[in-house]
Amino acid sequence: MAARTMRVVGKSLPRIDAPGKVTGTAVYAADFALPGMLVGKVFRSTEPHARIVRLDVTRARSLPGVRAVVTAADVPDVRYGGGLKDETVFAKGKVRYIGQPVAAVAATTPEAAQAALAAIEVVYEPLAAVLDLEAALAPGAPLVHEEWASYTAIPILHRDGNVCNRARIVVGDVDRGWEEADRIFEHRFRTGMVHQGYTEPRAAVAQWDSSGTVTVWSNTQLPFEVQNTLAEIFQMPPSKIRVVVPGIGGGFGGKLRVGVEHFAVLLARKTGRAVKVVTTSQEELTAAYPRQGAVVELKTGVTNDGRIVAKEGRIWFDTGAFAGSGPGVASVATLVLAGPYRIPNLRLEGFAVYTNKTNCGSYRAPSGPQSNFAVESQMDIIADALGIDPLEFRLKNIVRDGDEGPTGQVLGAVGLEECLRNAAAAIGWNERRPETWRGKGLACGWWTTTGGSSGVYVKINPDGTVALNTGAAEIGTGALTGAAQVLAEELTVDLADVSVVSADTFSTPFDFGAQGSRTAFAVGNACRAAVADLKQRIFALAAAQLSVEVEACVLAEKHVVADGKRVSLAELARMSQMTGGGLIAQGTFIAPPTAYDSKRVEGHVYPAFHSPSFHAHAVDLSVDPGTGDVTIHRYVVAQDVGFAMNPTYIEGQIEGGVAQGLGQALSEEIVYEGGRVLNANLTDYKMPTTLDMPRVETILVEHPSLAGPYGAKGVGEPPNIEPPAAVANAVAAATGLRVTVLPITAERIALGLLGDVRADGG
Amino acid sequence: MSKLALTLTINGERHEVHTEPHRTLLDVLRVDLGLTGTKENCLEAECGVCTVLLDGHAVNSCILLAAQCAGRNVLTIEGLARDGVLDPLQQAFIDHGAVQCGYCIPGMILSAKAFLEERPAATEAEVREALAGNLCRCTGYQKIADAVVNAARATAAQR
Amino acid sequence: MSFEYHEPTSLAEAVDMGARFGAAGRFLAGGTDLIIQMRRGTVAPEHVVSLHRVPDLGAIDANGDIQVGALVAHRAIERFPAFHGRLRALVEAAEVVGGHQVRNVGTVVGNVVNASPAADVVPVLLTLGATVVCVGADGERSVALEEFLVGPGRTTRRPGELVTAVRFASPPERSASAFLKAGRRRAMEISVVCVAATVTLDAAGERCEKARVALGAVAPTTWRAREAERGLQGRAMTPEALHEAGRAAAAECRPISDVRASARYRRLLVETLVPRALARCMERLRNAR
């Protein structure tokens, strides 16, 4: 990448959608309304595992204001899903978790809809339920899906009974590794189920038109995927389904797949009216797509001087009653379990397991925190046992440029050492003094920039402004502002000249979706491709207009300049509109595939990390031994972002990601008992408030990627990954207590210090 | 159930509203008056996205009956800017990168507004305490706190 | 939720409505508990009687004994100058009830009537020997707060009775109070355990003349740690004495295990926080000299 002075990209410019958001004029899906719209609500199972003996909606249908009540009988008999098609719109014959949709109603008022729900009569015959991983994996366990073998699934998945995927990485020979090791360490860890906690509930409004097309306004992060899923469910062509995203109040992966869109579509078809469905807090905490709880067993062999020679790991994800993102999560986990370390012998397995709980999905760095918590906690345990500084132990084993990743991908732009040293220096790692009840902890990791394709249209308007038309949705990260900065940079206009139209399956180009830290990366690159195309047209026009050679043309300050003459982009756009249909171009981008060794993997749907990022977190905290309360004094993140497209919005991603990570580390958990969520409300699902969050100090490290715009890498997910391990390590340093269960609550610490409770993963 | 005839003053304008007694201020704002700048989420006073100002004090509109607000002054986010000029708080939120998805922002700005009226020279710790009833899941609160502290300083400097 | 809404403009009218509607009616002050309960369906009154137009309920009267009217919101308690001395615990408790939005609307009396065993201001009132003023068709009666609270969400308020105020005396000179709260996060918390303590020293200023310790979330109602109090009577307030009080309170209280905490942890918190609350009282007494 040639060094140059950037005008727009790389600057902390204010995001383009901020004015609408601070004035309350930005419209979110939850705000969207149409005239005559009905209210839709969902009737849900109250049993974790049961046969539906009787379901009678006649009384509900007859209530005043009720316009439709629908059940499985009203939808085609279709199983849908990602790589594994096991989901149905409504339970049919059997319910598999408390909260599973059984029916839906549409009525003129919320009260009438609520009354309709209350009037639905259902009789269940309870079946033996599998309520946790151990129960699901026990020999002879009841099957959550008796017909699992008949489900359509991508062939690569390894499925068996309650295991809906097993992904595996094998490198070298771990048994030889154990012989070579001087010390072998085995530990078990457990993490809880946590919710993305977006402040805007999932919402959709659907309306059919006279041509048999349905339009759905939704806060999905993946409008094109939702379009396809709806097409699959309702057995219609995707072109008859239009998904539009007005605005999203946070997603974090919880709004990837259909949440309520299918109910809205079905009820709108039944009633002939627009129907809006919005989830409640209780539905979010019982029937959404939270992060899987997990159990990790990790066995690591090291030499006495601190070299890692072998690692064997197994992680089981409690993915709930339907596979959701489980199979993919189980795959990605194996790469996180390997860690950013040079390890010649590896045997790592990830399992996605069915239980009778809500089906889990993707949450910012899916599998990341659970796996990293285990890996980085054990790294500290080993360092302590060997008498080696935890920083030095990591530095001794981390990967460097040119090394292989666990599946054989060649790693470049590895900024990990710089991240570790910077984070450690910032937290005062070498100034640690023994101090009662106060300690510092480190954790590091690596992550991917998800691939998939993105297309954009770019148009130059006759007034010189630029329209960016992208299929990506803005979920709040500022990624579309970043892409607009790339566009403005390349066209030599200002950010204020760019306006964005996004996320409409009818009128915007395909985008793989706002997921996996890919949006600024992919859309930014698509913009560069569009500009390349646009330049050809612009220069051809300018050359004719100025009587110069095309080769002499350059863009500068919103003009084409050549041989001392110039013409504005605005003028060229005007001319083009009159004679050539306007200045518009298309750009597409798909990340080049990352080469890896396919012999090392099995059942794996994510065998390499693309344009990987590297990161290190450091925390300085105190523990109150009388209560177990943790007070964080300082929190530092050093993250290799490749190239900082907009430092302020990247800091924002890091600060927010750490907040979610600290929530998972210290206070958040969806608590199940007997298949029922005990804390399905925001009083008892404890997300951090302003008073719980420390300031986060961010250090942006730049080791440019080959594929990203200006060398950028994905930035959104990584900050979620390391907080639990960093906190666990600091708590251990402060108290001598090693907590191997998340969340590390004050209770766990206080009782653990008394030896009262097993703080380990047992 | 008979409807109530209520006169609500929202952003300085009087609105005659006929509504059932159980309907909340949030319902009336968003559904009856189309003022969707005030957001809905938990409906249990736990998250703060529904925050408006009632006679200058921050309140959760999701648990206030519309009837309780008759004869009182309600300020929503739509009423904050004057003649297209943003309130210093709104500008500060833009300038300090305090906005991500934006869903918590209207409530956050209004809580800050009420607080700064009472406590113009606020420290970061005081600002955080004042905003503890507004959950944000995107920002980790840091740039929000920065924006409010800086807006306070800017306003103080003008006085 | 579906109900008739009423706005009496005098106390007599409000009391009359209360008598007529009985258990089918509920009085509405701030509504921060009532509206949520109605939305969840745990409470379903046919009549809601709003108090906001009844005069003389919105005052804190501090001439002699202190009277807090039914419409006094927590925000007023936080800012009442006379409460920042010996009655400091009242402020400390009021300022951690929910967030600003809840404190601007929710009332102290409403909090008392709601009778959550985890309530924050109620333990402080208990240490102050507060009484509850109930007005019904047959007139006014004063009930000791300790007798008023009988179970989680249950009081001796008769159906239709209106609680117009809470009364308590300011503790004598040589007194101080403190309030501590434990929870999983630092704001927006329902207490896992909370402790209120009020200490009065003897004339020489050396020994404890009277100690009152009340706890939240460790029993079916807000609960006085009587063993701990007795143990402090007449004693020098040494660290050992304070820790004994903590152990006594922990042994005597009856916490449950729920999704917020285990009983074992709650006892541990009591054992830790009672001495700390008492120590803070002593520190305030020393600073007041």
Side-chain angles (χ1 to χ4, degrees):
Chain A
M1 182 65 51
R4 48 182 273 194
T5 320
M6 309 286 186
R7 288 182 315 109
V8 182
V9 95
K11 305 258 186 281
S12 286
L13 298 174
R15 53 188 298 152
I16 54 187
D17 54 357
K21 290 175 174 177
V22 300
T23 54
T25 52
V27 175
Y28 299 80
D31 300 328
F32 192 82
L34 290 172
M37 192 172 72
L38 298 173
V39 174
K41 285 186 188 285
V42 180
F43 179 78
R44 297 179 179 275
S45 165
T46 51
E47 291 288 323
H49 199 201
R51 234 173 32 83
I52 303 174
V53 171
R54 185 170 144 263
L55 178 64
D56 190 342
V57 302
T58 14
R59 199 161 64 85
R61 280 199 180 120
S62 70
L63 290 181
V66 177
R67 296 286 178 260
V69 181
V70 291
T71 67
D74 296 290
V75 262
D77 197 5
V78 166
R79 286 204 179 269
Y80 64 93
L84 169 50
K85 298 192 185 297
D86 58 2
E87 290 185 67
T88 54
V89 175
F90 297 116
K92 188 170 173 174
K94 190 164 104 143
V95 292
R96 291 182 170 87
Y97 68 96
I98 295 181
Q100 182 177 3
V102 174
V105 309
T108 50
T109 65
E111 294 77 26
Q114 200 63 44
L117 294 184
I120 294 176
E121 294 164 26
V122 65
V123 175
Y124 296 110
E125 178 196 305
L127 300 168
V130 285
L131 299 177
D132 57 31
L133 282 168
E134 286 75 15
L137 293 167
L143 288 178
V144 177
H145 289 268
E146 288 119 347
E147 318 91 42
W148 66 269
S150 69
Y151 292 164
T152 305
I154 53 177
I156 202 172
L157 299 182
H158 281 233
R159 305 185 295 128
D160 183 10
N162 285 334
V163 175
C164 58
N165 189 33
R166 177 196 33 85
R168 182 186 281 167
I169 295 178
V170 175
V171 182
D173 181 347
V174 289
D175 292 321
R176 255 210 349 264
W178 306 138
E179 286 163 22
E180 200 186 316
D182 295 319
R183 306 269 306 263
I184 295 174
F185 296 84
E186 291 188 65
H187 296 95
R188 194 157 188 274
F189 302 85
R190 195 154 50 81
T191 71
M193 182 192 287
V194 290
H195 191 277
Q196 296 84 348
Y198 33 79
T199 53
E200 183 211 16
R202 288 173 295 158
V205 177
Q207 183 175 60
W208 293 76
D209 68 20
S210 51
S211 76
T213 299
V214 62
T215 303
V216 183
W217 293 265
S218 141
N219 47 25
T220 177
Q221 299 173 236
L222 310 181
F224 290 90
E225 172 153 336
V226 166
Q227 179 192 34
N228 280 330
T229 305
L230 291 173
E232 200 178 349
I233 289 172
F234 294 103
Q235 305 197 310
M236 346 172 3
S239 55
K240 290 299 226 178
I241 299 170
R242 178 177 187 173
V243 180
V244 180
V245 181
I248 304 178
F252 316 109
K255 292 175 177 168
L256 297 184
R257 313 209 146 78
V258 283
V260 292
E261 293 85 351
H262 43 350
F263 304 127
V265 167
L266 181 59
L267 291 167
R269 185 167 67 182
K270 268 282 180 177
T271 59
R273 304 257 294 262
V275 176
K276 182 175 188 179
V277 184
V278 181
T279 54
T280 64
S281 266
Q282 188 186 25
E283 286 175 309
E284 284 298 334
L285 289 164
T286 54
Y289 286 107
R291 193 193 294 286
Q292 296 81 355
V295 168
V296 189
E297 287 177 355
L298 212 48
K299 177 176 175 181
T300 302
V302 297
T303 60
N304 278 327
D305 65 344
R307 193 168 41 88
I308 304 173
V309 294
K311 185 190 285 191
E312 182 172 53
R314 277 192 292 267
I315 180 166
W316 292 267
F317 291 98
D318 181 343
T319 204
F322 297 92
S325 302
V329 169
S331 304
V332 176
T334 56
L335 289 158
V336 186
L337 283 181
Y341 299 113
R342 293 167 164 163
I343 306 176
N345 303 293
L346 287 172
R347 185 185 170 81
L348 304 168
E349 291 179 306
F351 300 85
V353 183
Y354 286 130
T355 61
N356 292 114
K357 297 182 193 161
T358 185
N359 44 307
C360 294
S362 295
Y363 173 2
R364 204 165 180 181
S367 85
Q370 304 100 310
S371 314
N372 185 272
F373 172 60
V375 170
E376 290 298 289
S377 292
Q378 193 184 56
M379 287 293 283
D380 260 38
I381 294 170
I382 295 172
D384 190 48
L386 294 179
I388 301 177
D389 179 305
L391 172 64
E392 295 307 318
F393 180 47
R394 287 175 172 83
L395 289 172
K396 189 172 182 112
N397 288 284
I398 56 172
V399 290
R400 320 252 166 193
D401 278 2
D403 282 347
E404 275 187 1
T407 56
Q409 71 180 98
V410 176
L411 300 171
V414 179
L416 184 52
E417 178 175 359
E418 194 178 335
C419 287
L420 270 168
R421 291 197 186 280
N422 276 319
I427 205 76
W429 187 254
N430 291 326
E431 289 103 59
R432 284 169 300 154
R433 278 171 274 97
E435 192 178 331
T436 46
W437 308 116
R438 182 164 178 165
K440 296 178 183 175
L442 290 174
C444 70
W446 69 314
W447 192 249
T448 184
T449 309
T450 289
S453 74
S454 290
V456 300
Y457 302 134
V458 174
K459 190 171 72 158
I460 302 185
N461 296 314
D463 61 0
T465 61
V466 180
L468 166 58
N469 182 318
T470 164
E474 171 59 68
I475 61 174
T477 59
L480 293 189
T481 294
Q485 285 178 257
V486 170
L487 185 56
E489 180 76 43
E490 301 273 318
L491 282 176
T492 73
V493 301
D494 298 322
L495 182 60
D497 295 321
V498 181
S499 59
V500 179
V501 161
S502 67
D504 176 343
T505 58
F506 183 71
S507 60
T508 62
F510 175 80
D511 190 282
F512 188 59
Q515 56 180 332
S517 307
R518 66 177 295 281
T519 305
F521 186 101
V523 179
N525 272 341
C527 285
R528 301 184 74 216
V531 170
D533 182 4
L534 207 46
K535 271 184 181 173
Q536 288 184 2
R537 298 158 206 258
I538 291 172
F539 291 162
L541 268 179
Q545 180 70 8
L546 299 174
S547 303
V548 297
E549 297 298 319
V550 164
E551 291 74 25
C553 295
V554 293
L555 284 180
E557 295 175 356
K558 315 188 192 190
H559 287 73
V560 176
V561 178
D563 298 341
K565 303 181 225 180
R566 62 187 225 157
V567 58
S568 70
L569 290 173
E571 176 65 22
L572 291 172
R574 268 196 299 275
M575 281 164 37
S576 175
Q577 257 192 3
M578 286 194 286
T579 61
L583 276 182
I584 183 164
Q586 177 190 19
T588 58
F589 173 75
I590 181 156
T594 303
Y596 68 97
D597 180 357
S598 59
K599 294 189 298 299
R600 300 191 190 188
V601 299
E602 249 181 69
H604 214 289
V605 303
Y606 207 109
F609 277 178
H610 318 294
S611 295
S613 61
F614 301 88
H615 4 91
H617 291 210
V619 64
D620 175 359
L621 55 81
S622 288
V623 174
D624 178 338
T627 62
D629 284 329
V630 168
T631 301
I632 297 178
H633 304 294
R634 294 184 60 208
Y635 198 99
V636 176
V637 173
Q639 183 163 329
D640 173 8
V641 302
F643 168 77
M645 282 207 271
N646 183 320
T648 293
Y649 94 57
I650 293 176
E651 285 167 11
Q653 285 300 289
I654 290 173
E655 292 156 14
V658 168
Q660 288 178 311
L662 289 177
Q664 167 140 38
L666 293 167
S667 62
E668 293 179 38
E669 186 178 8
I670 296 178
V671 180
Y672 269 87
E673 189 181 83
R676 183 174 316 273
V677 175
L678 296 182
N679 59 338
N681 55 69
L682 291 188
T683 306
D684 284 313
Y685 183 77
K686 310 274 188 195
M687 295 192 276
T689 68
T690 49
L691 296 182
D692 299 295
M693 271 303 294
R695 289 191 71 88
V696 176
E697 301 159 47
T698 60
I699 300 166
L700 299 185
V701 167
E702 292 179 319
H703 286 235
S705 71
L706 291 177
Y710 305 92
K713 301 177 180 179
V715 302
E717 292 171 291
N720 260 39
I721 297 172
E722 288 92 351
V727 167
N729 289 339
V731 167
T735 65
L737 179 70
R738 171 57 62 178
V739 181
T740 54
V741 179
L742 290 182
I744 302 172
T745 58
E747 173 164 346
R748 284 203 163 109
I749 293 176
L751 296 186
L753 289 174
L754 295 177
D756 249 35
V757 141
R758 294 191 70 190
D760 66 14
Chain B
M1 179 188 15
S2 46
K3 291 192 180 184
L4 302 172
L6 303 172
T7 302
L8 297 176
T9 304
I10 317 279
N11 301 331
E13 283 181 16
R14 287 163 62 95
H15 296 265
E16 307 295 330
V17 172
H18 280 83
T19 190
E20 294 88 349
H22 68 265
R23 293 186 78 241
T24 61
L25 177 62
L26 183 64
D27 292 332
V28 169
L29 287 172
R30 285 175 62 82
V31 180
D32 298 9
L33 302 179
L35 293 168
T36 57
T38 309
K39 301 308 180 191
E40 69 171 60
N41 183 36
C42 75
L43 303 180
E44 292 192 328
E46 284 289 344
C47 74
V49 300
C50 69
T51 303
V52 298
L53 300 192
L54 186 64
D55 294 335
H57 292 157
V59 298
N60 293 121
S61 62
C62 69
I63 56 164
L64 271 174
L65 301 179
Q68 288 174 276
C69 306
R72 304 174 71 176
N73 283 303
V74 176
L75 181 70
T76 72
I77 190 68
E78 290 94 340
L80 197 55
R82 296 283 165 84
D83 300 318
V85 176
L86 295 180
D87 185 280
L89 267 171
Q90 291 169 304
Q91 191 59 52
F93 270 63
I94 295 175
D95 295 340
H96 288 268
V99 178
Q100 291 190 32
C101 86
Y103 201 72
C104 77
I105 292 300
M108 195 71 78
I109 288 178
L110 288 171
S111 280
K113 177 79 178 167
F115 174 66
L116 290 185
E117 292 288 324
E118 190 177 356
R119 186 106 182 79
T123 64
E124 177 171 345
E126 290 168 334
V127 167
R128 283 178 177 258
E129 198 282 328
L131 300 182
N134 291 82
L135 287 184
C136 173
R137 199 55 163 167
C138 292
T139 68
Y141 305 107
Q142 191 157 321
K143 295 186 188 311
I144 288 176
D146 291 344
V148 177
V149 167
N150 278 282
R153 279 194 206 128
T155 310
Q158 280 166 14
R159 285 192 180 144
Chain C
M1 31 182 206
S2 164
F3 51 83
E4 292 292 333
Y5 180 79
H6 311 271
E7 287 185 316
T9 52
S10 73
L11 182 59
E13 196 185 350
V15 171
D16 177 64
M17 286 180 178
R20 275 194 288 123
F21 302 143
R26 289 295 297 263
F27 290 107
L28 173 68
T32 54
D33 286 316
L34 182 63
I35 304 297
I36 293 176
Q37 290 160 2
M38 288 167 61
R39 179 172 277 134
R40 285 185 183 160
T42 53
V43 155
E46 293 164 29
H47 299 273
V48 170
V49 180
S50 173
L51 298 173
H52 75 158
R53 294 173 65 191
V54 175
D56 303 325
L57 291 181
I60 303 173
D61 183 352
N63 298 315
D65 275 7
I66 297 165
Q67 176 161 299
V68 174
L71 290 179
V72 173
H74 288 84
R75 78 168 272 120
I77 303 289
E78 290 177 75
R79 289 160 178 75
F80 198 72
F83 290 164
H84 286 258
R86 283 172 246 157
L87 289 166
R88 183 81 185 278
L90 271 178
V91 174
E92 290 177 315
E95 66 190 9
V96 294
V97 173
H100 277 226
Q101 296 91 323
V102 166
R103 300 200 286 279
N104 285 336
V105 172
T107 64
V108 172
V109 167
N111 200 246
V112 169
V113 171
N114 191 53
S116 161
D120 294 315
V121 176
V122 177
V124 180
L125 294 174
L126 213 53
T127 66
L128 299 172
T131 57
V132 176
V133 181
C134 303
V135 181
D138 25 310
E140 184 179 300
R141 65 191 182 106
S142 237
V143 184
L145 179 58
E146 207 165 349
E147 289 161 30
F148 185 69
L149 305 167
V150 295
R154 292 186 297 116
T155 68
T156 59
R157 184 184 75 95
R158 297 169 191 152
E161 238 181 353
L162 170 62
V163 176
T164 55
V166 147
R167 282 191 194 130
F168 52 91
S170 188
E173 282 181 35
R174 304 179 319 276
S175 300
S177 63
F179 172 82
L180 292 174
K181 175 170 180 168
R184 194 179 280 198
R185 54 182 182 176
R186 288 179 157 78
M188 299 299 286
E189 267 304 77
I190 307 262
S191 288
V192 168
V193 164
C194 62
V195 178
T198 303
V199 172
T200 304
L201 295 181
D202 62 12
E206 285 166 10
R207 291 174 177 276
C208 170
E209 182 177 281
K210 178 170 131 179
R212 290 287 176 265
V213 178
L215 306 176
V218 298
T221 65
T222 306
W223 180 82
R224 261 181 64 191
R226 286 198 146 79
E227 276 301 313
E229 292 172 353
R230 275 194 281 271
L232 292 169
Q233 185 93 25
R235 273 184 84 166
M237 297 287 271
T238 60
E240 180 46 44
L242 302 194
H243 280 108
E244 257 182 54
R247 285 192 293 271
E252 200 194 352
C253 69
R254 292 170 289 142
I256 59 169
S257 294
D258 62 15
V259 73
R260 292 177 193 144
S262 66
R264 176 74 185 93
Y265 181 57
R266 287 189 158 109
R267 282 187 205 279
L268 172 62
L269 287 173
V270 170
E271 196 172 330
T272 296
L273 295 179
V274 165
R276 288 185 188 178
L278 292 166
R280 189 161 294 180
C281 290
M282 294 309 296
E283 187 188 317
R284 288 177 174 159
L285 284 163
R286 278 194 295 276
N287 292 342
R289 284 180 192 153

